[in-house]
Amino acid sequence: MEERNPLLNAVMDSLPEEKPRLISGLGLPEEVLQGVAAGVDLFDSTYIYHLTLGGFALTFPLESIEKQVTKYQPNSNSGCDGTKINLKATMYRKDTSPIVDNCKCYTCQNHTKAYINHLLNVHEMLAHILLEMHNTHHFLGFFRSIREAIHEGKFEQFRQKFIVSRHEHIFSAALNV
């Protein structure tokens, strides 16, 4: 990740500022934030597709910086890294809650983790459709939060808070192993 900043900055410096700047391959939330900080305008990524194929659902908080106080505390066997959960995990077999509480996507409004877990485990095509809908909705919400932070002049604060919360999660997960 540290090596990417100088490379992104060198590439962005050589591109005209008056034209949109597109980058392919950055997909992780931290990578997107790095790209935005470097001046990238458009992202072309298969991140959501690959998450969906693996049975993962995005779960990281989307609230503005001031509201990001609640943290998702997963089980050690949840298949979670603080940004996503593995809905193939047996722990979701009887979980009747939506993927993300208060999410407005079709999947979260109409289906439970248990149902999606069942669909994934019987290899039903609908599982990937529902997960793709949720993940796309969630990722677009992430970009909406980024635009709001930029509009409010608080992008760097938003980026740092997001990265610090991820590092805290990775550190606590390492202590629990």
Side-chain angles (χ1 to χ4, degrees):
M1 282 291 231
E2 294 82 30
E3 296 171 0
R4 187 174 290 122
N5 270 339
L7 182 59
L8 275 171
N9 289 331
V11 169
M12 292 300 122
D13 289 344
S14 67
L15 297 174
E17 282 192 35
E18 67 277 358
K19 294 190 177 184
R21 291 162 286 181
L22 167 74
I23 194 159
S24 295
L26 298 185
L28 294 172
E30 296 86 354
E31 293 173 337
V32 168
L33 290 170
Q34 237 180 358
V36 170
V40 175
D41 300 306
L42 303 165
F43 295 85
D44 178 20
S45 173
T46 58
Y47 180 63
I48 297 298
Y49 174 73
H50 289 287
L51 277 178
T52 300
L53 282 182
F56 290 93
L58 290 172
T59 58
F60 57 84
L62 293 176
E63 297 87 20
S64 66
I65 314 157
E66 293 80 25
K67 296 178 188 171
Q68 284 187 12
V69 288
T70 54
K71 294 181 182 172
Y72 180 70
Q73 297 295 332
N75 249 328
S76 59
N77 65 345
S78 67
C80 178
D81 70 355
T83 61
K84 61 187 180 292
I85 58 173
N86 183 353
L87 285 174
K88 289 181 179 178
T90 57
M91 69 178 291
Y92 298 113
R93 191 173 33 150
K94 295 182 180 182
D95 189 336
T96 57
S97 64
I99 297 170
V100 174
D101 292 328
N102 301 318
C103 178
K104 302 296 181 210
C105 78
Y106 175 83
T107 303
C108 289
Q109 293 294 306
N110 295 288
H111 303 288
T112 65
K113 291 176 192 164
Y115 180 61
I116 296 168
N117 172 271
H118 163 73
L119 293 174
L120 285 166
N121 288 315
V122 298
H123 307 286
E124 175 61 48
M125 185 171 55
L126 180 59
H128 293 108
I129 294 168
L130 293 173
L131 270 179
E132 183 94 21
M133 290 169 71
H134 167 76
N135 287 336
T136 300
H137 177 84
H138 200 80
F139 214 47
L140 290 174
F142 175 59
F143 279 97
R144 189 177 316 106
S145 296
I146 291 171
R147 286 191 303 274
E148 287 172 6
I150 291 170
H151 181 70
E152 294 169 3
K154 297 179 179 179
F155 172 73
E156 193 54 38
Q157 185 182 2
F158 175 84
R159 182 171 84 112
Q160 291 304 322
K161 182 148 183 110
F162 188 90
I163 290 170
V164 165
S165 72
R166 288 283 294 132
H167 287 175
E168 287 172 1
H169 175 79
I170 291 168
F171 181 72
S172 68
L175 291 177
N176 291 332
V177 173

